[in-house]
Amino acid sequence: MVKRRVHVAAAAIIREDGHVLLARRPSIVDQGGLWEFPGGKLAPYETGFEALRRELREELGIEILRAQPLIRVHHEYADKRILLDVWQVHEFEGEPFGREGQAVRWVPQNELNNYPFPEANHPILRAVCLPHEYLISDEEADDTVFLDKLERALRDDDVRLVQLRAKTLDDSAYLKRAEQALALCRRYEARLILNGDPALLDSIDADGIHLPSRTLMALQHRPVANDKWLGASTHDPRQLEQAAEIGCDFVTFSPLRVTPSHPEAAPVGWHDFQQLVETAGMPVYALGGVTRDDIDQARAVGAQGIATIRDLWK
């Protein structure tokens, strides 16, 4: 059987207070009763953004003023292949309501998991809850210097996801630093991701684990609970596939550009990076020679945002 292809534009409408707008599917349609991000199918010759503007006008009575790409999700159901072209709506006119009789609701981000969604929507949930900047800590020998730099970074409201990377520390020193970093991140309502063995979470109740690529490739299943974030470092298509197979929530992909720390590594460049992101099935952060100036470019090609040490670690 040849499966039909369905191209859908969907909106992640997020208010300044962090609440996300959801719509409930009518009971008479496929997967009726489930909640989803509002939108609909593209009409012939429409772009994703054109379809989104039309659908939100028809379904919710609002007019999009400003939006950016968030994530594109390819998903295969038993009877169809679906592409969800998801946009984050920053500004709109009007007060959204269910113009077609559907229920709509503003939901806090931390309560999204309490709502049943179609399976294809799960990567969108991760993208909605993740920031667009991912800070990777630098190697610092002194804990006091480390904590001072971390706090300076956290004073920036955009830095809310931190990876504790400290390859030069032994296990005991890493755990000590992790405890200190976690307390600081909690104070600023930021998430702390540990880099290394998933067993680290047995000692430190951090928000998740970031797997080095070698650890990633040795796993056969997701190594942490679903209420913890699981990230991974990837550098080629096979590693991206492995991350999807074991249920990673997000990945970094590098290097985008030549970097001083790895001058021998061939950069992937924006064009090839876009092709890899298109089929990743999860949020992807661009890593390697990128700065905050690259965030809009990264998002335009489908990335979640940028991951960096130098540009955020002051």
Side-chain angles (χ1 to χ4, degrees):
M1 179 183 71
V2 177
K3 295 183 179 180
R4 60 192 176 99
R5 298 177 181 273
V6 181
H7 190 171
V8 173
I13 307 172
I14 307 173
R15 293 192 314 207
E16 289 186 1
D17 63 3
H19 285 59
V20 183
L21 188 69
L22 301 181
R24 194 169 192 173
R25 294 179 63 81
S27 59
I28 60 174
V29 303
D30 182 35
Q31 303 197 69
L34 300 182
W35 292 84
E36 65 180 358
F37 297 90
K41 298 176 186 175
L42 273 66
Y45 309 113
E46 275 188 324
T47 66
F49 185 66
E50 289 170 344
L52 192 71
R53 294 190 68 186
R54 174 183 55 75
E55 287 284 347
L56 297 193
R57 192 182 304 124
E58 294 171 357
E59 289 188 8
L60 302 176
I62 63 174
E63 191 68 38
I64 297 176
L65 300 179
R66 187 167 65 92
Q68 272 184 301
L70 180 62
I71 190 171
R72 285 164 64 89
V73 179
H74 294 263
H75 189 84
E76 190 162 331
Y77 287 108
D79 60 337
K80 62 189 173 185
R81 293 188 177 96
I82 189 169
L83 167 59
L84 290 172
D85 186 0
V86 187
W87 293 69
Q88 182 176 346
V89 176
H90 297 286
E91 296 179 42
F92 61 90
E93 284 184 340
E95 185 62 33
F97 69 100
R99 291 191 67 193
E100 299 173 344
Q102 76 277 29
V104 297
R105 185 176 298 176
W106 289 104
V107 177
Q109 288 186 18
N110 62 1
E111 295 181 12
L112 288 172
N113 286 333
N114 297 333
Y115 288 75
F117 287 86
E119 188 177 350
N121 280 226
H122 292 169
I124 309 174
L125 292 170
R126 300 174 193 135
V128 164
C129 294
L130 286 169
H132 301 296
E133 298 182 356
Y134 185 20
L135 168 62
I136 303 172
S137 67
D138 204 356
E139 300 285 348
E140 300 288 349
D142 184 88
D143 282 343
T144 301
V145 173
F146 169 85
L147 292 171
D148 180 62
K149 289 188 175 183
L150 176 58
E151 183 161 21
R152 275 188 261 172
L154 290 170
R155 287 176 187 153
D156 185 329
D157 289 340
D158 290 327
V159 178
R160 289 298 173 265
L161 185 66
V162 177
Q163 179 193 143
L164 177 57
R165 187 178 184 277
K167 300 296 185 183
T168 59
L169 299 183
D170 61 28
D171 292 348
S172 176
Y174 183 89
L175 290 175
K176 176 186 175 184
R177 181 168 294 183
E179 289 178 348
Q180 296 170 322
L182 182 60
L184 196 53
C185 285
R186 290 284 185 269
R187 191 188 313 166
Y188 285 90
E189 298 183 348
R191 300 187 187 100
L192 181 67
I193 308 296
L194 306 182
N195 181 298
D197 192 314
L200 287 167
L201 291 177
D202 295 335
S203 301
I204 302 291
D205 189 26
D207 297 286
I209 284 288
H210 189 98
L211 303 169
S213 55
R214 182 176 298 179
T215 305
L216 166 69
M217 298 308 291
L219 293 171
Q220 296 182 348
H221 54 79
R222 182 181 172 95
V224 300
N226 288 330
D227 63 348
K228 297 293 184 181
W229 288 94
L230 181 62
S233 297
T234 63
H235 311 284
D236 59 45
R238 180 66 193 101
Q239 291 174 1
L240 276 176
E241 291 173 5
Q242 171 73 352
E245 287 173 8
I246 69 164
C248 284
D249 299 306
F250 67 92
V251 297
T252 60
F253 193 94
S254 65
L256 186 78
R257 299 190 178 107
V258 174
T259 64
S261 57
H262 297 90
E264 75 290 348
V268 66
W270 287 117
H271 179 271
D272 289 350
F273 178 78
Q274 181 174 17
Q275 303 305 309
L276 292 161
V277 168
E278 176 73 20
T279 57
M282 74 194 79
V284 179
Y285 288 96
L287 173 63
V290 294
T291 70
R292 278 182 157 166
D293 293 336
D294 294 306
I295 288 180
D296 286 343
Q297 174 70 45
R299 297 192 63 188
V301 299
Q304 180 72 17
I306 58 113
T308 180
I309 299 174
R310 292 173 182 82
D311 204 42
L312 299 180
W313 189 253
K314 301 177 178 64

